[in-house]
Amino acid sequence: MFPGPPADPATPTAGSVPSAAPPAAEAARTPGGATGAASARRAWTAPLLLGCAGVLALCIALFGPGLMARGTGELRIPGAGLTTVLRTVLFAALALHLGELLAPQLIRPVRGRPRTAVRSWAVFASLAGAAAAAGQIVRLAVVSDLGITETYGTREGGLLLLIANGLVVAALCAASRRPALALAPLAAVIGAEALRAHPEAYSPEFGAALTVVHLTAASLWTGGLLYVLRTLWLWRGSPAAARALLGRYARLAIWLYAALAATGTASALRRLPLDVVPTSAYGRTLLLKLALMAVVSVLAVAARRRMLRDTDPSAACRLARREQVVLGLVVVVSAVLTVVPDPHWISLRP
């Protein structure tokens, strides 16, 4: 640094220099300033990208069923957009709660881990899921022109009531001193949702069993990853512990991915005739889901490679965060799949 300005600023002396650059410009020329500018850009870029992803997810939920069914000749589903939004909330609630029950089991064995823990979202998530199930009951009553009590007597209404009550019980368990007790009501919720999603006459028991495994694996993968990422943010000052936790989750995710792939393929072959893949809303939605899952797979493999190659887990965490965003879109598209018509009737048309 310089000792100070000359005595007469109007007549600079030999060796004097122009006035110092503005602090922002000086910061931009220094390594620390560059880092600060990059951090500032990330500070507003991440919320912006999340907001865009949220708007995209809402648009897919509201307009996806109608767009996928356009030109297929299938019957219009009343209130399909609202139903998709409600089921998206329900699936997200299951993922958040199951993820909070799974991820701590991965965290406890990590050596040298910080003692900070993320705040639980399980109570809020389960209550939101219960409200979404109740909303579906009201929507079913309106569409069927039935009273609420009469709606409970229908197959779908009774299962939705079981789902809503199960999630309320799960929320109470999460608020208690033994949150692991929520596993029982959450298992009942998954079973009821699997039965509700398979009212068809052809092998509904087999379809429900596949859905139980598929929905459980998807919820553990999505919710577990979110909990791990939230924990890694708190552990950003402990890269060794963060890398160990990410590695433990990655090893589990391989098995969850295998279960998803196996049950998803079996469900698609069982429910979707190959001759109507491009001409049915179910087939088109499934193709979109497969495309998103391909993106998720690429991001997951890239994150694992970076984790194995680098001692600093920050790059792997960035890839995992992108994977989480795409998984959120997969959840929305999965909700669309539960709303669009069964494609079997198209295949059976003369």
Side-chain angles (χ1 to χ4, degrees):
M1 299 300 290
F2 299 97
D8 186 0
T11 57
T13 62
S16 65
V17 296
S19 59
E26 182 66 24
R29 288 197 296 265
T30 61
T35 303
S39 300
R41 283 196 298 272
R42 286 195 296 269
W44 64 262
T45 300
L48 178 62
L49 292 177
L50 286 176
C52 292
V55 172
L56 177 60
L58 182 60
C59 291
I60 292 174
L62 290 174
F63 307 112
L67 290 175
M68 292 299 176
R70 180 169 296 177
T72 63
E74 293 172 299
L75 295 176
R76 177 180 173 273
I77 305 297
L82 175 60
T83 303
T84 303
V85 172
L86 293 174
R87 289 194 180 154
T88 299
V89 174
L90 174 60
F91 293 159
L94 279 173
L96 284 170
H97 203 149
L98 284 174
E100 289 201 8
L101 292 175
L102 167 71
Q105 311 308 316
L106 302 175
I107 293 173
R108 289 192 186 98
V110 176
R111 295 181 179 179
R113 59 185 173 88
R115 295 302 175 183
T116 54
V118 298
R119 182 176 299 178
S120 174
W121 292 350
V123 174
F124 171 78
S126 288
L127 290 178
Q136 292 179 68
I137 295 174
V138 173
R139 174 238 164 228
L140 179 62
V142 172
V143 171
S144 305
D145 197 20
L146 297 173
I148 295 295
T149 305
E150 296 171 309
T151 304
Y152 293 156
T154 65
R155 179 182 183 275
E156 183 171 2
L159 290 172
L160 286 171
L161 180 61
L162 175 59
I163 291 171
N165 289 334
L167 286 169
V168 170
V169 174
L172 294 175
C173 292
S176 70
R177 295 184 177 180
R178 302 184 65 183
L181 292 176
L183 280 173
L186 290 176
V189 168
I190 291 175
E193 173 58 26
L195 291 173
R196 187 214 59 76
H198 292 279
E200 65 274 359
Y202 53 94
S203 61
E205 298 83 4
F206 182 60
L210 289 174
T211 300
V212 166
V213 178
H214 193 82
L215 184 56
T216 302
S219 299
L220 291 174
W221 185 4
T222 307
L225 179 57
L226 178 60
Y227 194 94
V228 166
L229 288 175
R230 293 175 62 205
T231 302
L232 293 179
W233 175 253
L234 293 180
W235 291 6
R236 58 190 181 274
S238 304
R243 187 172 181 271
L245 175 58
L246 194 59
R248 291 180 61 84
Y249 171 79
R251 288 189 290 272
L252 175 64
I254 293 174
W255 295 103
L256 295 176
Y257 183 88
L260 280 171
T263 54
T265 301
S267 296
L269 293 175
R270 169 189 169 274
R271 195 165 195 177
L272 181 63
L274 295 179
D275 58 320
V276 298
V277 170
T279 58
S280 65
Y282 192 96
R284 295 173 179 177
T285 307
L286 183 60
L287 290 176
L288 176 58
K289 181 178 178 179
L290 291 176
L292 291 173
M293 285 302 298
V295 176
V296 169
S297 303
V298 171
L299 291 172
V301 171
R304 181 172 177 81
R305 287 182 176 177
R306 292 300 298 266
M307 180 189 64
L308 294 176
R309 187 176 60 189
D310 301 339
T311 56
D312 184 1
S314 58
C317 288
R318 284 195 297 270
L319 291 168
R321 285 194 291 269
R322 294 168 189 170
E323 176 188 345
Q324 180 73 71
V325 172
V326 182
L327 277 175
L329 296 178
V330 171
V331 171
V332 181
V333 174
S334 299
V336 175
L337 273 178
T338 67
V339 175
V340 295
D342 189 322
H344 261 76
W345 76 275
I346 300 181
S347 182
L348 297 175
R349 285 187 304 186

